Amino acid sequence: LFGAFLGPQKTLSIRKFVSSCVLFRICGCTAGDVKYEGNISEHPYLVNVVLRMSCIYSLGHLLRAMTYMVTTLPGSADHCLPGAELDKPKSLAECFYKMQSVNGACGDLIFSGHMLFMWLAFCFIFKYGAKCWGMANFGRFHKCLLGVGGFLVFAQSVTVIMSRHHYSVDVVVASYTAPMLFHFYNTVIHTNDMKIDVETVEREIVEYSQKTTSAKVWINVRTLLSLALFVFLLALVVHGNFNWVI
């Protein structure tokens, strides 16, 4: 995400700076390794990365809901054992903003949401990791990213079981569901990244400039109201789960 946000020129500057470090040269890398090996026009837009991640992550949680709502397994955490006190929602409103992952959940097990996110992050490194930093696919840099990502996925799978948040079956099911979901979305639903339509942008700019002052004010007010609603809902969730003073 950071590489997609910065753009091709700034990422190239960062690579040149890193390659000039002594430690980087000791590892056998030179300034030639930071040469932009890809096409600048192929540098992914941040919106494309976030859009794909959001859609696939939402579909993954929809699949999770279809499984753990049908058959609820007994949780393995201490607060889920017989005799433990559960922090249940105290009102109907709390059902819509109370995050049980923070306050202690016992039913959303198969499959693991932790592993869903980690595997999707690994898949996005596989797809966008080299392009974001202008490196060749499966080059030295890309392989290092994949190696670090794979290690983090493995570490997450071990720690999530050790902390008794999930059973091993939750991790296993997520480990093949998330990559297949990623592949299905990218090959069937959303095959190509969106491109900037310069003509449409220029036409919208001209249309906006021709609007009356009251129409421009109304457009800006609608945008601000949407942002205010988002901030309000976010503050409501934070306050309801962490008891922060708003």
Side-chain angles (χ1 to χ4, degrees):
L1 287 178
F2 186 63
F5 173 75
L6 291 178
Q9 300 300 336
K10 291 184 178 180
T11 52
L12 179 59
S13 301
I14 292 176
R15 293 199 306 276
K16 287 182 178 180
F17 172 77
V18 173
S19 66
S20 64
C21 297
V22 177
L23 180 61
F24 197 79
R25 293 181 179 276
I26 292 177
C27 295
C29 301
T30 62
D33 294 325
V34 301
K35 181 180 179 182
Y36 201 95
E37 301 177 13
N39 189 350
I40 292 181
S41 62
E42 296 179 353
H43 191 278
Y45 290 105
L46 179 63
V47 172
N48 283 321
V49 180
V50 174
L51 176 64
R52 286 183 185 273
M53 183 67 178
S54 302
C55 292
I56 300 176
Y57 193 59
S58 300
L59 290 174
H61 275 283
L62 179 63
L63 294 178
R64 289 188 69 228
M66 293 171 61
T67 55
Y68 67 67
M69 290 184 67
V70 173
T71 302
T72 302
L73 298 180
S76 59
D78 293 335
H79 61 269
C80 300
L81 298 178
E85 295 184 3
L86 297 179
D87 186 14
K88 299 180 180 180
K90 299 177 179 59
S91 64
L92 181 61
E94 285 192 8
C95 297
F96 294 94
Y97 67 79
K98 189 179 181 67
M99 294 189 298
Q100 287 303 109
S101 58
V102 176
N103 297 279
C106 295
D108 57 336
L109 295 174
I110 298 179
F111 50 91
S112 171
H114 297 81
M115 295 307 301
L116 170 66
F117 180 83
M118 292 298 296
W119 273 112
L120 289 183
F122 179 82
C123 291
F124 272 86
I125 294 175
F126 182 86
K127 180 176 178 62
Y128 289 111
K131 292 181 179 179
C132 285
W133 293 96
M135 295 294 187
N137 257 349
F138 304 112
R140 181 186 302 173
F141 178 80
H142 196 198
K143 288 180 180 178
C144 289
L145 281 180
L146 292 174
V148 173
F151 172 78
L152 292 177
V153 171
F154 174 77
Q156 175 72 18
S157 65
V158 174
T159 54
V160 78
I161 296 176
M162 293 177 62
S163 60
R164 302 178 70 178
H165 278 287
H166 283 283
Y167 295 109
S168 57
V169 64
D170 309 333
V171 174
V172 172
V173 173
S175 297
Y176 63 75
T177 302
M180 288 195 297
L181 180 61
F182 177 85
H183 177 74
F184 173 77
Y185 184 87
N186 286 282
T187 56
V188 177
I189 300 178
H190 192 174
T191 56
N192 299 316
D193 283 342
M194 296 184 297
K195 303 292 184 180
I196 294 180
D197 190 346
V198 180
E199 295 181 356
T200 302
V201 173
E202 292 178 348
R203 184 176 66 252
E204 291 180 352
I205 293 175
V206 172
E207 292 177 355
Y208 180 81
S209 63
Q210 294 175 350
K211 292 181 179 294
T212 62
T213 303
S214 59
K216 293 180 180 178
V217 171
W218 173 238
I219 292 175
N220 293 326
V221 168
R222 284 187 302 176
T223 303
L224 291 176
L225 288 176
S226 300
L227 292 175
L229 178 61
F230 173 76
V231 172
F232 172 76
L233 294 176
L234 180 62
L236 183 65
V237 171
V238 171
H239 176 70
N241 291 277
F242 300 98
N243 295 322
W244 289 2
V245 178
I246 299 179

